[in-house]
Amino acid sequence: MNEKLLICDDTASLGRFIASRFINMGITSECCRGNLSVIQESLRNGRYKGILLFASRPDDKLLSFISDAKSMGISVFAGLYISLSGIQKSFLEAGAALCFNMPCSVSKLCRTVMLRLDKPDALLPAIEVFLEENSFPRQLSGFCYLAKACELCMLSPDRLWGGMGGIYQEVALHFSASSSVVERSLRTLGEKVSLSGALSRMTEHRLSQKPTNTELICAVCDAVSRL
């Protein structure tokens, strides 16, 4: 069976909306009610890579379930409705892969979970969504080249140590283009987002001048990894 994400929430409409966003971003998702017995029954009926659930307090049975899920190789992501450090600590010590405070935007929630599911084929669409949300123009060819270059570097950060040549070549091969076209398109994109202020906003004003391609890629990788 395919690996899936189980979304556990008593608000059926919200659960379906979140699931549809994950599906659009490349993650097969299913919903169930947030009742612990229902969640456990759902686990017996399918193979899941991760579980997204929402809670207000560290119930002992729920913490035990999270610990068991971790031992099975399932990542548990917990949306907490009470933002107390002690409660978050209890979930993390039980084995939750990530805790985040609710309310949380669906876009941020999806990106955050996707980047921690250890699923490489989900990384590229997550980066593309991030770039769009930060006003990087998708109509420019450099948009897709940048997303792919960032994916390569996030999966293997040492790629940047040897210079950009190898990255240009791999991106060009993926899109049936030439290395020179990739290099030029990235420079054009870097200039556009610098002039529009998108790059400055994304980097919290740390980078506002026209970047080199390496600076552009590093800035995006850094911003995405902070989600």
Side-chain angles (χ1 to χ4, degrees):
M1 285 181 282
N2 294 327
E3 293 180 337
K4 302 183 289 290
L5 175 68
L6 181 64
I7 301 170
C8 313
D9 185 50
D10 289 326
T11 308
S13 58
L14 177 60
R16 286 196 296 268
F17 179 62
I18 294 174
S20 67
R21 286 298 298 269
F22 276 117
I23 291 170
N24 290 338
M25 298 167 84
I27 298 291
T28 303
S29 303
E30 297 177 351
C31 301
C32 76
R33 294 186 64 82
N35 182 280
L36 187 55
S37 62
V38 176
I39 298 174
Q40 292 172 325
E41 180 62 29
S42 297
L43 287 182
R44 286 193 283 270
N45 295 330
R47 182 168 177 239
Y48 296 95
K49 181 70 174 179
I51 300 172
L52 174 62
L53 54 83
F54 304 92
S56 298
R57 59 189 179 85
D59 177 86
D60 288 342
K61 289 183 178 180
L62 179 58
L63 296 180
S64 178
F65 166 76
I66 292 173
S67 179
D68 290 343
K70 181 180 179 181
S71 68
M72 296 164 58
I74 301 173
S75 299
V76 177
F77 305 95
L80 304 179
Y81 288 103
I82 299 179
S83 57
L84 295 178
S85 59
I87 291 179
Q88 184 176 104
K89 182 179 179 182
S90 296
F91 278 87
L92 293 174
E93 288 181 344
L98 176 72
C99 293
F100 51 91
N101 294 330
M102 297 296 292
C104 176
S105 74
V106 172
S107 295
K108 182 177 181 180
L109 185 155
C110 290
R111 290 199 312 268
T112 302
V113 170
M114 287 178 68
L115 293 174
R116 288 165 173 80
L117 268 178
D118 193 26
K119 188 177 176 62
D121 60 348
L123 185 55
L124 183 59
I127 295 172
E128 291 179 347
V129 169
F130 175 80
L131 292 176
E132 281 192 310
E133 291 180 345
N134 282 273
S135 302
F136 279 58
R138 180 179 275 276
Q139 68 270 22
L140 294 181
S141 57
F143 179 98
C144 292
Y145 297 157
L146 175 61
K148 185 62 180 179
C150 290
E151 179 196 41
L152 295 174
C153 292
M154 291 186 71
L155 292 175
S156 182
D158 60 309
R159 292 293 303 274
L160 283 170
W161 297 351
M164 294 298 297
I167 295 174
Y168 291 152
Q169 292 172 5
E170 191 162 345
V171 172
L173 180 64
H174 181 80
F175 290 99
S176 299
S178 67
S179 297
S180 60
V181 167
V182 171
E183 187 271 337
R184 187 166 57 250
S185 297
L186 288 175
R187 279 194 286 110
T188 299
L189 178 64
E191 182 177 12
K192 292 290 186 182
V193 295
S194 176
L195 290 174
S196 70
L199 180 63
S200 179
R201 291 190 295 273
M202 185 193 75
T203 60
E204 299 178 340
H205 310 292
R206 292 190 299 272
L207 187 60
S208 56
Q209 301 299 316
K210 179 182 177 181
T212 65
N213 288 346
T214 300
E215 288 174 336
L216 180 62
I217 291 170
C218 287
V220 174
C221 289
D222 178 67
V224 172
S225 66
R226 292 173 184 269
L227 296 174

